[in-house]
Amino acid sequence: MSSFEYYKSLGYSPVAPKHRIISNATVADTITLWTPLSANMRIVLTNLAIASPVNGTIAFYFGGDNDGQKIAEFKAGTTVMIFPVISSWESTAKNAPLLVRVNTGATDAWSITAEGFEVD
């Protein structure tokens, strides 16, 4: 059973996919990709797609800053699509957003789509 089907079987509804384009204007800034819509909920990421036309790295974090909470980092080559195989990335902290940081960019350099659930 996939993690998507597992969380559906528990009665959770998938959240609409979160899509973000990250340009060179936001390089070295921490960008919020997804904040739980309801109070006291946690994010469960069940699918992720990353596209980039530039060399660089992209990192994902849960929480309010990016010290010690990194959940993954990917190095992308020029013109690449990354589809990480994840069972699920489940935040252990309630109300913690999913954050993204890139180290390089160009106009509309990074395209990210995240899908999953918000659970209690």
Side-chain angles (χ1 to χ4, degrees):
M1 174 185 295
S2 71
S3 60
F4 180 85
E5 291 301 324
Y6 172 75
Y7 288 101
K8 279 187 68 174
S9 73
L10 294 177
Y12 294 108
S13 297
V15 174
K18 307 297 183 186
H19 182 73
R20 183 76 188 257
I21 302 291
I22 301 174
S23 70
N24 59 351
T26 54
V27 167
D29 288 336
T30 301
I31 298 130
T32 301
L33 179 63
W34 182 351
T35 300
L37 297 174
S38 300
N40 298 318
M41 298 298 275
R42 298 175 295 120
I43 295 171
V44 176
L45 191 64
T46 58
N47 191 29
L48 183 66
I50 306 163
S52 175
V54 297
N55 290 317
T57 59
I58 184 167
F60 296 85
Y61 305 84
F62 279 127
D65 61 38
N66 60 2
D67 293 325
Q69 299 152 345
K70 186 186 296 182
I71 54 175
E73 181 173 283
F74 303 98
K75 175 144 180 62
T78 304
T79 312
V80 67
M81 287 289 297
I82 301 171
F83 297 98
V85 177
I86 56 174
S87 56
S88 71
W89 290 344
E90 182 175 341
S91 174
T92 57
K94 293 183 178 187
N95 304 315
L98 176 60
L99 307 172
V100 179
R101 179 177 279 252
V102 299
N103 75 333
T104 187
T107 302
D108 298 338
W110 296 88
S111 174
I112 305 160
T113 302
E115 298 176 288
F117 299 82
E118 292 181 6
V119 301
D120 49 10

